[in-house]
């Protein structure tokens, strides 16, 4: 698929609640233990103020998570997750009713509570495998859903991940999960796929996926890339502090965009949005 054809996969062409063009998905983790922003936004007031900053910086979606899925993390109780996330959604929407909020969860009860509170997208890192009720929740809500590839579970996924052909296996998995979602009643226009950078993958696996992203774009669904501040960027740059990995993140965003990805889940909204504006103009896709 050509770059221009991939651009027509951009969410917004159908009923999705965001505008055409590359979409920055700003990360808001309401957790004590996320790998980069853990503990920063547990207070709903601080979370809402960070969301407002991200909106001012041009985020198209705010992705709110109440459970860390970093390597080695433990699951949290759904009740705890809901208690963390719902007040934050309510507070953001009270101040900025136009905000498009996505909920980063694989629990159907959390997704239901978030959608009731006004979230409009579900981001499921298990691609609807984590909870048998999730597909029906998304189908009933008629909302976009992000289906992400992960090998294993967060607790152990970075212990010797193995593939025969990482690109082919991730592509095949995403095709099967998209088929599953559509069979369960999710609109084909509501499916977004994500290769799951860092989820059961070595540095070489991550690089192979990013280098061959066209193979995922070719599935015909919008592609989200979530590389922000991740360990592979630290390995390549020698930057240990996650919050300092913005330059490496921006390089990933621009190259992934050039290969046809259209959604970028990032912590640093302004840096990535400005890079995408310039990259889009050079690629001559969205600047007119
Ligand atoms: N990465 C993280 C969490 N959710 N969702 C999608 N669709 N794609 C990703 O790559 C992705 C994701 C992990 O990053 P972060 O939220 O910053 O950290 P933590 O899991 O520690 O909260």
């Amino acid at each position: 698929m050509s770059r221009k054809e991939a651009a027509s996969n951009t969410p917004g062409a159908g009923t999705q609640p965001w505008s055409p063009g590359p979409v920055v998905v700003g990360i808001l983790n309401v957790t004590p233990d996320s790998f980069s922003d853990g503990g920063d936004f547990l207070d709903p007031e601080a979370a809402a103020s960070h969301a407002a900053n991200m909106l001012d910086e041009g985020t198209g979606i705010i992705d709110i998570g109440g459970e860390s899925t970093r390597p080695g993390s433990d699951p949290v109780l759904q009740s705890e997750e809901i208690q963390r996330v719902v007040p934050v959604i309510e507070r953001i929407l009270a101040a900025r009713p136009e905000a498009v909020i996505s909920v980063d969860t694989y629990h159907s009860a959390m997704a239901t509570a978030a959608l009731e509170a006004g979230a409009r997208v579900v981001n499921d890192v298990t691609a609807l495998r984590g909870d048998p009720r999730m597909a029906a929740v998304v189908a009933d809500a008629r909302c976009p859903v992000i289906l992400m590839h992960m090998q294993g579970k967060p607790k152990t996924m970075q212990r010797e991940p193995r593939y025969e052909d990482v690109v082919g296996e991730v592509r095949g998995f995403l095709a099967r999960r998209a088929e599953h979602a559509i069979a369960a009643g999710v609109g084909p226009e509501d499916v977004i796929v994500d290769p799951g950078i860092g989820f059961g993958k070595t540095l070489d696996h991550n690089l192979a996926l990013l280098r061959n992203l066209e193979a995922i774009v070719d599935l015909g669904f919008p592609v989200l890339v979530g590389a922000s501040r991740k360990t592979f960027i630290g390995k390549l740059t020698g930057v240990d502090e996650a919050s300092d990995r913005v330059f490496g993140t921006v390089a990933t965003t621009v190259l992934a965009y050039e290969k046809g990805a259209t959604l970028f889940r990032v912590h640093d909204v302004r840096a990535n949005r400005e890079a995408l504006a310039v990259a889009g103009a050079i690629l001559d896709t969205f600047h007119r």
Side-chain angles (χ1 to χ4, degrees), residues 39-53:
D40 291 352
F41 308 117
L42 264 179
D43 168 35
E45 193 61 54
S49 140
H50 184 56
N53 286 340

Side-chain angles (χ1 to χ4, degrees), residues 122 124-132 134-135 138 145-147 177 180-181 184 186:
V122 172
D124 185 344
V125 298
T126 71
L128 308 178
R129 295 174 301 161
D131 180 332
M134 188 63 120
V138 174
V145 61
I146 301 161
L147 305 174
R177 296 316 296 167
H180 169 86
V186 175

Side-chain angles (χ1 to χ4, degrees), residues 50-239:
H50 184 56
N53 286 340
M54 290 198 290
L55 288 166
D56 292 342
E57 289 181 349
T59 197
I61 302 177
I62 299 169
D63 187 42
I64 308 182
E67 174 182 315
S68 171
T69 47
R70 73 181 194 290
S73 59
D74 286 307
V76 298
L77 284 177
Q78 285 194 57
S79 53
E80 171 74 25
E81 192 187 2
I82 291 170
Q83 259 174 353
R84 287 177 185 171
V85 170
V86 167
V88 174
I89 296 177
E90 288 171 346
R91 209 172 271 243
I92 294 170
L93 290 177
R96 308 286 288 260
E98 77 286 2
V100 178
I101 292 178
S102 121
V103 62
D104 183 354
T105 189
Y106 54 91
H107 294 132
S108 62
M110 174 73 260
T112 302
L115 292 163
E116 275 168 10
R120 290 194 263 170
V121 181
V122 172
N123 172 21
D124 185 344
V125 298
T126 71
L128 308 178
R129 295 174 301 161
D131 180 332
R133 287 176 296 275
M134 188 63 120
V137 167
V138 174
D140 288 350
R142 311 190 80 74
C143 69
V145 61
I146 301 161
L147 305 174
M148 195 196 79
H149 175 272
M150 165 164 45
Q151 185 181 86
K153 294 230 158 73
K155 185 79 184 165
T156 53
M157 66 189 176
Q158 288 308 103
R159 289 188 200 151
E160 295 192 46
R162 270 174 213 277
Y163 301 83
E164 292 284 319
D165 162 17
V166 65
V167 176
E169 288 170 49
V170 169
R171 182 185 201 279
F173 170 88
L174 292 174
R176 288 191 299 278
R177 296 316 296 167
E179 221 169 89
H180 169 86
I182 292 164
V186 175
E189 70 286 359
D190 284 330
V191 173
I192 297 165
V193 295
D194 175 353
I197 299 301
F199 283 85
K201 284 147 193 123
T202 63
L203 170 62
D204 284 346
H205 295 144
N206 290 321
L207 292 177
L209 285 165
L210 291 166
R211 194 177 296 127
N212 297 288
L213 208 57
E214 294 96 335
I216 311 291
V217 172
D218 226 34
L219 290 170
F221 301 104
V223 173
L224 181 146
V225 169
S228 188
R229 300 183 181 175
K230 285 186 177 169
T231 303
F232 85 99
I233 293 174
K235 282 190 181 149
L236 293 169
T237 56
V239 177

